[in-house]
Amino acid sequence: MRARREFRNRRDIEVAVLDALVDRHDEGMTVFELRAAVDADIDTIEEALSALKDEGLIVVEEADTRVLIHADERVVPDPSEAVEEDASLFEKLRERFGL
C-alpha cells in the first residue's frame, strides 16, 4: 500500500519510508526493519525519520523493549479510496497522442 497522494510530494527517501510504514501500519516497524525495506543507508533513513517526525507524519512508540514507528493515521489511505497509480511517462505520452 502507498501513502496518500497529498503526502508524496517530498524527498524520495521520505516517500519510501512512508510507503513501508503504511504497508505495516498495524504492527509498526523498527529502524532495522525499515532498513531492510528501504534501499538506503541507516543515516539517510534516520534523517528521513527525523523530518517526518518533525512534520507529524509518523508516530514513535516504545513497545516492550522495542521502539516501533508507525505512519500517522492521516497518511494511511482509507481502504475504500481508489488508489491511483502514477502513470509512467510512456503511458502519459500514449494517452496524449492517442496511441
Side-chain angles (χ1 to χ4, degrees):
M1 190 181 314
R2 296 172 49 167
R4 295 177 86 174
R5 185 183 254 336
E6 58 263 30
F7 299 104
R8 302 187 69 74
N9 187 15
R10 56 189 65 255
R11 292 181 25 213
D12 289 343
I13 183 64
E14 292 174 14
V15 172
V17 168
L18 282 176
D19 286 345
L21 291 171
V22 166
D23 275 341
R24 300 233 342 241
H25 177 67
D26 292 333
E27 330 57 84
M29 297 179 84
T30 65
V31 173
F32 295 113
E33 290 170 329
L34 271 171
R35 172 62 182 97
V38 176
D39 187 30
D41 62 72
I42 196 74
D43 292 330
T44 305
I45 291 172
E46 286 181 358
E47 287 175 17
L49 287 171
S50 178
L52 293 170
K53 186 173 182 191
D54 288 345
E55 293 182 38
L57 299 179
I58 62 172
V59 178
V60 180
E61 68 177 29
E62 191 170 331
D64 299 322
T65 58
R66 299 172 15 156
V67 174
L68 294 175
I69 305 162
H70 298 270
D72 187 73
E73 290 294 327
R74 61 194 167 115
V75 177
V76 180
D78 184 10
S80 65
E81 288 180 18
V83 177
E84 281 186 37
E85 294 293 325
D86 293 332
S88 70
L89 176 61
F90 177 73
E91 290 169 341
K92 289 178 183 177
L93 288 172
R94 188 175 72 196
E95 182 180 305
R96 178 165 176 112
F97 293 110
L99 300 174

